[in-house]
Amino acid sequence: MKDIKKVDEKDLAVKTAAQAEQMLEQETSATAEEVTVEGAPQQGEAPQGQGGQGGHRGRKPRGERKPQKKTSSLTDSGFIEKVVSINRVSKTTKGGTRLAFSALVIVGDGKGKVGYGLGKAGEVATGIKKALAAAKKQMIMIPRRGTTITHEIVGQCGSAIVLLKPAAEGTGVIASGAVRAVCDGAGISNILTKCHRSNNPINVVKATFDGLSRLKAIRPVVAAVAAAEVKPTVA
């Protein structure tokens, strides 16, 4: 009988995409920080339980506290990475039930290039890494007009239908979570959208990509007129 792969309790506690992103940030920060001994005072810091320069219970003075890091949308790889959804899936085998996690991820550069990927693994972090690798392999270029799309279009996948309409400057992204992640990855900051029938995140993302991939780029009018006026000369 085959051994069933055990799943950690922290993976079972993950239910939303936000919890998965928070867990990944904690893991990366834990590996980057230096290991310190508990109870040992740091250099320039008063021992715990004593006053003076360290303050109450060894705290640093208010003026010497480190400033908080500003969170940016771009990651170390130079792409905007967003986890849309995480599903817990199970497979019934002869030896029992195997649990796994499926992750849907959006990756974009914020300049019109965006892609999506699906990854499945026994752990949440591994599934997200697989999805990121798949998304970077199938990125597409989306034509834009400033900060919005070029024209109105409807995308469809299965029973999910997504309406995409260009919007004026200052409108913002009027969209659901799945469509918003795609627009943020592509650098679209002004758009009007509406999801019809199905609200399944996977089908909604695929329908959004179906509509964005069929957008037509706007050709400059001067170049089009100049090309029409040029006539071939007869020898």
Side-chain angles (χ1 to χ4, degrees):
M1 185 181 296
K2 297 181 179 180
D3 296 335
I4 303 172
K5 187 175 181 180
K6 295 183 179 179
V7 182
D8 296 340
E9 295 181 357
K10 63 178 182 179
D11 291 338
L12 292 175
V14 175
K15 296 182 180 179
T16 62
Q19 294 177 354
E21 290 182 346
Q22 185 178 3
M23 188 187 68
L24 284 178
E25 291 177 359
Q26 292 176 355
E27 290 181 357
T28 53
S29 61
T31 55
E33 290 180 354
E34 296 180 357
V35 180
T36 57
V37 182
E38 288 189 33
Q42 301 296 326
Q43 185 176 2
E45 182 179 343
Q48 294 184 1
Q50 297 181 5
Q53 188 178 359
H56 182 62
R57 294 184 180 178
R59 294 180 182 175
K60 291 185 178 180
R62 185 176 298 274
E64 297 181 4
R65 292 182 181 177
K66 294 182 179 180
Q68 296 181 355
K69 295 181 180 180
K70 296 182 179 179
T71 57
S72 59
S73 56
L74 291 176
T75 58
D76 297 337
S77 61
F79 291 102
I80 300 173
E81 302 173 353
K82 293 196 173 184
V83 181
V84 179
S85 66
I86 294 177
N87 295 326
R88 189 183 306 161
V89 295
S90 60
K91 180 181 179 181
T92 304
T93 60
K94 188 176 180 180
T97 303
R98 293 193 175 188
L99 295 177
F101 297 90
S102 175
L104 174 63
V105 175
I106 302 295
V107 176
D109 60 352
K111 300 177 182 179
K113 200 173 182 181
V114 67
Y116 75 96
L118 283 168
K120 187 172 69 172
E123 298 178 358
V124 176
T126 309
I128 293 176
K129 290 179 182 178
K130 287 184 178 180
L132 290 174
K136 292 176 182 178
K137 289 181 181 179
Q138 51 185 2
M139 297 180 72
I140 61 174
M141 195 68 188
I142 297 173
R144 299 177 300 163
R145 185 178 61 184
T147 58
T148 185
I149 57 178
T150 55
H151 56 87
E152 180 181 341
I153 197 167
V154 177
Q156 184 173 359
C157 177
S159 61
I161 300 174
V162 178
L163 171 64
L164 305 171
K165 295 180 66 175
E169 188 71 26
T171 304
V173 180
I174 311 300
S176 62
V179 183
R180 180 182 294 273
V182 178
C183 295
D184 292 343
I188 301 172
S189 56
N190 297 290
I191 191 173
L192 298 170
T193 67
K194 179 64 179 177
C195 298
H196 296 281
R197 299 179 69 180
S198 176
N199 58 355
N200 185 355
I202 297 177
N203 285 346
V204 169
V205 169
K206 289 183 178 179
T208 306
F209 271 87
D210 176 62
L212 294 177
S213 61
R214 290 186 289 106
L215 286 174
K216 296 181 180 179
I218 296 178
R219 233 179 10 170
V221 179
V222 178
V225 173
E229 290 179 353
V230 174
K231 295 181 181 180
T233 57
V234 180

